[in-house]
Amino acid sequence: MWQPSSAILQLVKDNAKQLLPDALFLSLLHRKHIGRFPRLLRPTTFNEKILQRSLRPDPRYAALTDKLTVRDYVKAKVGEQHLVPLISSPDVFTQSVFDALPNAFVMKANHGSSFVEIVQDKSKVTFDGLRTMANRWMSTDFYLIARERHYRQIRPRIFFEELLLDEHRQIPADYKVHCFGGKSGRPMMYIVVISDRFGNNTRGDVFDVHWNHLDVGIGPYARSTTPPPPPKNLNSILDMAAVLAEDFNYVRVDLYAPGNAVYFGELTFTPGAGVVPMRPDRVDFEWGRLLT
């Protein structure tokens, strides 16, 4: 008797998932990654409250999650000098757009996470290769991945930024500053440092504002055996994060700090879509108490 292949069964399973209501889809996803079903009506943990935000987003989230339209907000708050220089944001990615790009650049999409392609030597890539990648990104409905509803309002765009490098000619670390309670004054902040993000030894380390290396793990990243030293401009990083977070009771502000500069990366209101394991598990509850 004929038996369906594992690929066919997986396809049927994936299609069935897309038919689930958002709340049920997120509850099952939370159970899979966190190990328990979420309390969506009376959320307690950080992940549960993020899930609730995904289902009932603030009307401001879409424009400030869009990696292109958020630039106006950042310019007004902290100044244009803190924006990574924008090379191009074409309506259509054509051969002429590609030809006009410099030798090194970063290609991104504005409507989701992980749509990033770093090009350090243009001679090693082709227009057709980048266009295929861009088309795949543009055809991805990011809302369907984890039902973060504010992503439905973002019109997909491709854009190109200058490539930032640190003093060692490496991709700079990503400082993800979780800001709690910014609306009531200086926020409570925790810094998640993602180092070697595009390399073979990616690490994720969590620090408080005094650069104490916390025994906390978030998501798939392993902690560094020897934690990275504080950046020379730590105070500038924290000051900028505080300003960008001041209109919200919680937001994650992503920044880069090569040399003595500080550049804006993105604002994230529903990090990890509310299904990010936190180690030890009590941190999920501790951060949940901070998110009011």
Side-chain angles (χ1 to χ4, degrees), residues 34-267:
I34 307 300
R36 56 177 170 267
F37 285 104
R39 292 158 292 193
L40 293 179
L41 295 179
R42 295 182 178 178
T44 301
T45 69
F46 176 74
N47 276 300
E48 288 170 347
K49 291 182 178 182
I50 294 301
L51 281 186
Q52 188 182 64
R53 282 182 163 212
S54 296
L55 293 169
R56 294 185 295 184
D58 185 301
R60 298 172 294 177
Y61 289 176
L64 298 180
T65 298
D66 184 322
K67 294 176 175 61
L68 283 171
T69 57
V70 71
R71 294 174 65 93
D72 290 334
Y73 177 82
V74 175
K75 180 179 178 180
K77 282 285 188 179
V78 297
E80 190 172 16
Q81 71 273 21
H82 296 294
L83 291 168
V84 178
L86 183 66
I87 299 171
S88 177
S89 56
D91 289 327
V92 181
F93 182 29
T94 62
Q95 179 73 55
S96 61
V97 171
F98 175 78
D99 292 343
L101 292 171
N103 183 60
F105 56 88
V106 181
M107 182 174 79
K108 295 182 178 181
N110 67 322
H111 68 295
S113 176
S114 301
F115 296 146
V116 179
E117 179 67 12
I118 293 174
V119 175
Q120 300 198 50
D121 184 349
K122 185 179 175 182
S123 68
K124 294 182 179 180
V125 299
T126 65
F127 165 65
D128 288 337
L130 290 183
R131 182 177 59 178
T132 297
M133 181 180 297
N135 288 341
R136 184 172 69 250
W137 293 350
M138 296 285 281
S139 64
T140 300
D141 186 342
F142 198 76
Y143 151 72
L144 291 176
I145 294 174
R147 308 298 176 91
E148 297 164 279
R149 287 179 172 172
H150 51 292
Y151 281 98
R152 293 184 298 189
Q153 302 173 45
I154 301 175
R155 182 171 72 90
R157 295 277 302 277
I158 295 296
F159 65 102
F160 302 88
E161 290 180 339
E162 286 189 11
L163 174 62
L164 297 180
L165 297 175
D166 63 19
E167 61 268 28
H168 305 293
R169 306 296 295 171
Q170 301 296 315
I171 306 298
D174 194 349
Y175 295 93
K176 299 180 179 295
V177 188
H178 292 260
C179 302
F180 298 89
K183 293 180 71 173
S184 58
R186 183 81 169 183
M188 169 77 76
M189 292 185 279
Y190 292 101
I191 310 116
V192 180
V193 182
I194 309 299
S195 52
D196 198 29
R197 177 183 172 191
F198 300 99
N200 299 317
N201 190 36
T202 306
R203 290 290 184 267
D205 295 280
V206 184
F207 298 87
D208 64 17
V209 294
H210 305 294
W211 209 253
N212 294 307
H213 191 213
L214 305 180
D215 188 14
V216 173
I218 295 179
Y221 304 111
R223 296 172 73 243
S224 299
T225 304
T226 302
K232 292 177 288 188
N233 50 0
L234 175 60
N235 288 336
S236 297
I237 292 171
L238 297 176
D239 288 345
M240 187 183 301
V243 172
L244 292 174
E246 65 186 0
D247 296 326
F248 309 98
N249 60 351
Y250 167 79
V251 64
R252 196 191 75 200
V253 181
D254 293 5
L255 302 170
Y256 307 103
N260 287 315
V262 181
Y263 290 100
F264 171 77
E266 63 181 275
L267 295 180

